[in-house]
Amino acid sequence: MRAPYYQVDVFTSRHFGGNPAGVCLLDNWLPDITLQQIAAENNQAETAFLVTEGQGFRLRWFTPLVEVDLCGHATLAPAFVLFADRGWQGPRIEFQTRSGLLLAEQRGDIIELDFPSRMPVPASAPDELLKGLGRKPKEVLKARDFMAVYSSQAQVASLTPDMALLAKLDCLGIIATAPGEDCDFVSRFFAPGAGVPEDPATGSSHSTLIPFWAQRLGKETMFARQISKRGGEIYCRNSKDRVGIGGRAVIYSRGHIEIPSVN
């Protein structure tokens, strides 16, 4: 069978920036092992698979190694494809996911995702975290991910993590964050245990970053940068138990993939 497939650069307005995501449009679900093989073959941080369901879509996300419960850039990517290339009518799209109902709303050239808020709480710092990051943070917290808070953007930018040590931690990923120099806050995100050593621009980590920095800065709307090599720009909104994660995207490629018949 042939399935439409896109590669989209997310949380950026330029090609070769932000975070690439694969988007695979399916008529019906394939076996999980096939979805995982496609994601491994694509070798992107995430491949999004979606099937029409009700008035919206069922959405699943796979790294090259595992299925994950929440992914921001691979939710914005299919939303952008549907709005920009597949003729979706209406201001928003509903996605049913392992993390419940997620909404994507078009606001000018920004698509904002409505995601659950995951406020972190103070946590003890495992040796693998401190040694793996190579620089002691001033605070360590945890929600789904460990979050290491530093004093400056320069400290976050200078980290050279030991991925083998970070991969041993009991979490999906590790967030390093600090106040920003030309934005409200910056971050980097490492998920070596899921096959993603450093993610270029991460939506789901902002489910934790947004409520944390909203409380620290006393602001409900913020602009953030992910200071990876490719870079990412995230427009943030805090709203009680939900967060708005906004960004731009560009389509890098469009075509089809050939999927072997499944018996």
Side-chain angles (χ1 to χ4, degrees):
M1 60 173 284
R2 302 175 80 229
Y5 178 77
Y6 295 77
Q7 186 170 314
V8 185
D9 292 336
V10 183
F11 294 123
T12 184
S13 56
R14 61 181 179 86
H15 288 99
F16 313 119
N19 200 354
V23 177
C24 188
L25 309 179
L26 299 173
D27 293 328
N28 298 287
W29 287 112
L30 301 169
D32 287 4
I33 188 171
T34 304
L35 299 178
Q36 189 64 73
Q37 287 171 329
I38 294 170
E41 184 79 8
N42 293 342
N43 201 33
Q44 299 299 324
E46 305 280 350
T47 296
F49 298 92
L50 61 161
V51 171
T52 300
E53 183 176 293
Q55 299 301 308
F57 299 86
R58 174 69 58 175
L59 174 62
R60 298 173 69 184
W61 311 279
F62 286 77
T63 78
L65 295 181
V66 296
E67 183 175 9
V68 297
D69 68 333
L70 187 65
C71 182
H73 87 284
T75 302
L76 198 150
F80 183 78
V81 166
L82 292 169
F83 281 129
D85 209 66
R86 306 294 291 193
W88 180 264
Q89 299 297 313
R92 72 178 193 178
I93 302 170
E94 297 183 357
F95 295 111
Q96 295 291 343
T97 76
R98 288 174 60 175
S99 291
L101 175 65
L102 303 178
L103 304 178
E105 184 173 349
Q106 194 160 31
R107 299 186 174 189
D109 64 343
I110 301 290
I111 294 175
E112 184 182 88
L113 307 176
D114 176 70
F115 265 38
S117 177
R118 290 176 166 175
M119 184 70 174
V121 297
S124 58
D127 287 342
E128 292 87 353
L129 178 68
L130 299 179
K131 293 178 181 177
L133 289 172
R135 179 190 286 269
K136 185 177 180 180
K138 67 176 185 178
E139 294 178 76
V140 173
L141 304 97
K142 190 179 182 186
R144 179 195 68 178
D145 310 305
F146 275 107
M147 187 168 79
V149 182
Y150 291 90
S151 299
S152 71
Q153 178 172 326
Q155 289 178 343
V156 174
S158 67
L159 294 175
T160 55
D162 183 328
M163 298 299 175
L165 284 175
L166 295 183
K168 296 179 180 180
L169 291 167
D170 181 22
C171 61
L172 176 70
I174 301 93
I175 305 166
T177 187
E181 295 172 358
D182 65 345
C183 60
D184 290 295
F185 63 88
V186 299
S187 67
R188 294 172 68 187
F189 186 75
F190 314 107
V196 186
E198 179 166 5
D199 201 35
T202 314
S204 63
S205 64
H206 286 76
S207 284
T208 297
L209 287 160
I210 290 171
F212 173 81
W213 284 111
Q215 186 179 85
R216 290 295 172 94
L217 300 175
K219 301 175 72 172
E220 296 303 302
T221 59
M222 296 165 286
F223 174 64
R225 295 188 185 277
Q226 194 152 332
I227 52 173
S228 63
K229 184 177 180 180
R230 291 174 63 102
E233 299 178 342
I234 300 96
Y235 297 83
C236 307
R237 183 172 57 84
N238 190 54
S239 180
K240 295 183 179 179
D241 61 343
R242 308 291 293 181
V243 296
I245 304 169
R248 299 181 176 90
V250 292
I251 293 174
Y252 171 72
S253 67
R254 55 174 64 81
H256 292 82
I257 58 174
E258 300 285 342
I259 303 172
S261 298
V262 178
N263 295 323

